[in-house]
Amino acid sequence: MGNSCSNNLGIPPAKGPNAVGCSDFMMDHTVEGTFFRLYYPCVASDNAENPDWIPCKGYFYGLADFMKINRGLSEKIFNYLFGSFKIPAALNGSYKQNGKYPVVIFSHGLGAFRTLYSAICTELASQGFIVASVEHRDESASATYFYHQKPQEPEKDEASSPKPNPEPPENLVEEWMYYRSLKPGESEFPLRNKQVKQRADECIKALDTLIQINSGKKMENVLQTEFDWTTLENSMDLCRIAVMGHSFGGATVIEALCKDVNFKCGIALDAWMFPLDEEIYVRVKQPIFFINSEKFQWAGNISRMRKLDSSSTSMQRKMITIKGTVHQSFPDFTFLTGNWIGKILKLKGELDPQVGIDLCNRASLAFLQRHLGLDKDFNQWDHLIEGKDHNLIPGTNVTEIS
Ligand SMILES: CCN(CC)CCN(C[C@]12C[C@](c3ccc(C(F)(F)F)cc3)(C1)C2)C(=O)Cn1c(SCc2ccc(F)cc2)nc(=O)c2c1C=CC2
């Protein structure tokens, strides 16, 4: 584990009965391809290697750009603060065959990327889900990368052109895409609306890829990881698929539910509703669970969520607010700094981050059992869906400006 030995910081290990494996998948290599981190139940092993939380330094550059701080300085800060954190999962751990697992597609927030929600994704995997945390290429991620074909060079002899190490796959060249901030005078809605549609398509594309993997088809993973994807043949229950996301990823949940009825229900963590078209509110039919932090919501955002509530009394629409939490209580950063830095940077609220994420995970599991028809014991947490806990508020604490 990363820095946990020094100051008991680190992403908390998952609580469910399964050990968790984690592996990255990219297909095809272009910007239009699919890219996700897969979390899955794996065979427990004591010599498992844990994957890096921040996979490579391009992501630190991206975070610096997103936070509008100097790249050089921030690379050192981020490296020192977060560079050695590991994810509590076995990198490329052997998949544990045990019937078919339900599937969750996870969508990250503005300025985030696929690895930053591992406390949520590893918990779901430990409880018997296969989770694909997608990395969006809509320029809303702090950073992401893909490959393009190297232009055919005139034959050079080996000596004069030393190969980079590790060699990129085949003759592909890595290319990075960073966060695109609004240009001066640019109106935000058109950009965000276009992005949320692309994000929903990327969630659907990731699901389609999982369906192919589930069929046992030999997949060409551009990232040459030590994981045999054919072991996932017949591993997924394709009647039990949900979509989940944080903030911009919460809006992506609504858009994805609308576009693909294979998503049986959605969980939106502190959803940012701004990017969504007005007409979407009457079109989405599936159950939705809004889990909000105490500090992020405002009347306009809540009233948009309510439109989803009122327009469909029959579909199960639920909302809870976790007291003492902030917007960053959902991504992993909330576990990675001391209390006072965390509070200053608004990465922590008053509530212990572990208690907050446990409430979020347990309420989510209860909601998934109810709407995916699972035969587990997650219904023990049904009261959390109704906001019945001293750290929860049913609905919202935001007073409506009607
Ligand atoms: C100045 C930039 N300005 C851009 C519009 C606002 C920046 N901002 C507040 C921030 C993210 C913050 C952050 C992260 C990480 C550290 C660190 F120090 F720990 F690294 C510190 C401080 C900076 C808190 C947000 O965007 C909030 N937000 C987010 S935050 C998702 C995220 C991003 C990066 C992460 F590493 C982890 C999680 N996702 C959304 O979908 C939406 C919003 C707002 C509306 C929709």
Side-chain angles (χ1 to χ4, degrees):
M1 292 287 283
N3 306 6
S4 57
C5 47
S6 55
N7 46 11
N8 82 349
L9 288 178
I11 296 149
K15 299 177 153 59
N18 300 289
V20 178
C22 172
S23 191
D24 284 325
F25 187 89
M26 186 190 296
M27 184 183 104
D28 57 64
H29 58 269
T30 68
V31 70
E32 289 84 21
T34 190
F35 185 20
F36 54 78
R37 172 156 283 192
L38 197 82
Y39 302 85
Y40 52 89
C42 84
V43 175
S45 87
D46 49 11
N47 63 348
E49 181 195 347
N50 300 109
D52 286 331
W53 182 55
I54 303 269
C56 53
K57 75 176 178 184
Y59 289 100
F60 286 140
Y61 290 153
L63 274 173
D65 293 356
F66 176 65
M67 308 242 255
K68 301 186 178 74
I69 47 184
N70 168 284
R71 274 195 178 191
L73 169 76
S74 68
E75 189 203 338
K76 291 176 185 56
I77 298 174
F78 284 138
N79 241 325
Y80 170 71
L81 277 178
F82 310 120
S84 63
F85 279 107
K86 303 284 184 185
I87 288 178
L91 180 63
N92 302 321
S94 315
Y95 168 68
K96 178 163 85 175
Q97 180 70 42
N98 178 13
K100 291 169 183 275
Y101 295 109
V103 172
V104 175
I105 304 290
F106 193 95
S107 171
H108 62 71
L110 188 75
F113 40 89
R114 75 189 188 285
T115 69
L116 298 184
Y117 298 87
S118 62
I120 293 171
C121 298
T122 53
E123 176 59 24
L124 291 175
S126 77
Q127 297 285 2
F129 288 81
I130 287 180
V131 183
S133 180
V134 302
E135 190 150 296
H136 293 296
R137 268 73 171 268
D138 63 334
E139 299 184 280
S140 72
S142 267
T144 186
Y145 63 96
F146 51 94
Y147 293 94
H148 59 79
Q149 217 78 35
K150 196 186 299 183
Q152 283 311 320
E153 285 160 4
E155 261 318 292
K156 283 186 199 162
D157 60 76
E158 278 306 296
S160 70
S161 58
K163 295 275 182 200
N165 184 26
E167 237 175 275
E170 302 148 33
N171 62 343
L172 296 175
V173 180
E174 198 170 283
E175 179 164 343
W176 283 81
M177 173 193 278
Y178 293 105
Y179 174 74
R180 158 146 136 62
S181 42
L182 273 178
K183 298 187 177 65
E186 180 183 4
S187 76
E188 182 155 29
F189 180 77
L191 171 66
R192 303 302 180 205
N193 187 252
K194 180 167 147 291
Q195 286 177 318
V196 78
K197 289 180 162 76
Q198 179 176 341
R199 283 164 144 262
D201 290 341
E202 288 171 346
C203 290
I204 293 163
K205 199 182 291 179
L207 176 59
D208 290 344
T209 305
L210 289 183
I211 291 169
Q212 290 179 65
I213 290 169
N214 187 57
S215 73
K217 186 179 160 205
K218 180 93 185 75
M219 309 300 282
E220 185 246 338
N221 181 9
V222 175
L223 309 174
Q224 290 151 334
T225 54
E226 310 289 313
F227 183 74
D228 176 0
W229 292 85
T230 59
T231 58
L232 289 171
E233 181 168 10
N234 276 330
S235 63
M236 300 171 216
D237 184 340
L238 298 178
C239 302
R240 296 187 160 100
I241 302 167
V243 56
M244 192 170 180
H246 172 240
S247 202
F248 200 176
T252 309
V253 163
I254 314 291
E255 188 76 27
L257 286 172
C258 226
K259 286 193 169 184
D260 188 343
V261 291
N262 281 316
F263 294 119
K264 293 293 183 289
C265 65
I267 301 177
L269 309 176
D270 244 1
W272 180 47
M273 303 296 279
F274 171 75
L276 295 170
D277 291 306
E278 279 308 305
E279 67 267 8
I280 200 152
Y281 297 108
V282 291
R283 280 175 33 211
V284 61
K285 302 298 178 204
Q286 299 92 318
I288 302 170
F289 190 16
F290 291 105
I291 304 180
N292 295 339
S293 74
E294 190 171 15
K295 292 279 185 292
F296 180 74
Q297 295 302 336
W298 60 96
N301 206 48
I302 291 291
S303 67
R304 286 185 158 121
M305 290 181 199
R306 283 212 179 293
K307 272 196 221 148
L308 283 167
D309 236 350
S310 53
S311 66
S312 51
T313 46
S314 57
M315 286 66 154
Q316 295 276 314
R317 297 282 152 84
K318 292 289 178 186
M319 186 189 301
I320 59 172
T321 298
I322 308 178
K323 285 155 69 175
T325 57
V326 295
H327 201 48
Q328 295 305 318
S329 299
F330 297 99
D332 296 331
F333 275 112
T334 197
F335 299 105
L336 301 182
T337 63
N339 267 328
W340 62 274
I341 302 184
K343 291 220 172 75
I344 288 174
L345 286 177
K346 294 196 175 63
L347 300 174
K348 288 178 195 276
E350 294 310 312
L351 183 68
D352 173 329
Q354 180 69 71
V355 173
I357 212 73
D358 280 350
L359 285 166
C360 175
N361 285 334
R362 288 170 182 167
S364 300
L365 286 163
F367 188 81
L368 290 167
Q369 164 142 339
R370 181 178 297 180
H371 296 293
L372 296 183
L374 306 178
D375 62 348
K376 299 272 184 173
D377 59 354
F378 307 149
N379 51 342
Q380 66 183 295
W381 297 309
D382 275 354
H383 59 285
L384 300 180
I385 301 175
E386 311 308 327
K388 293 193 175 66
D389 183 277
H390 68 284
N391 287 315
L392 295 180
I393 301 169
T396 174
N397 59 336
V398 173
T399 46
E400 289 296 280
I401 305 164
S402 51

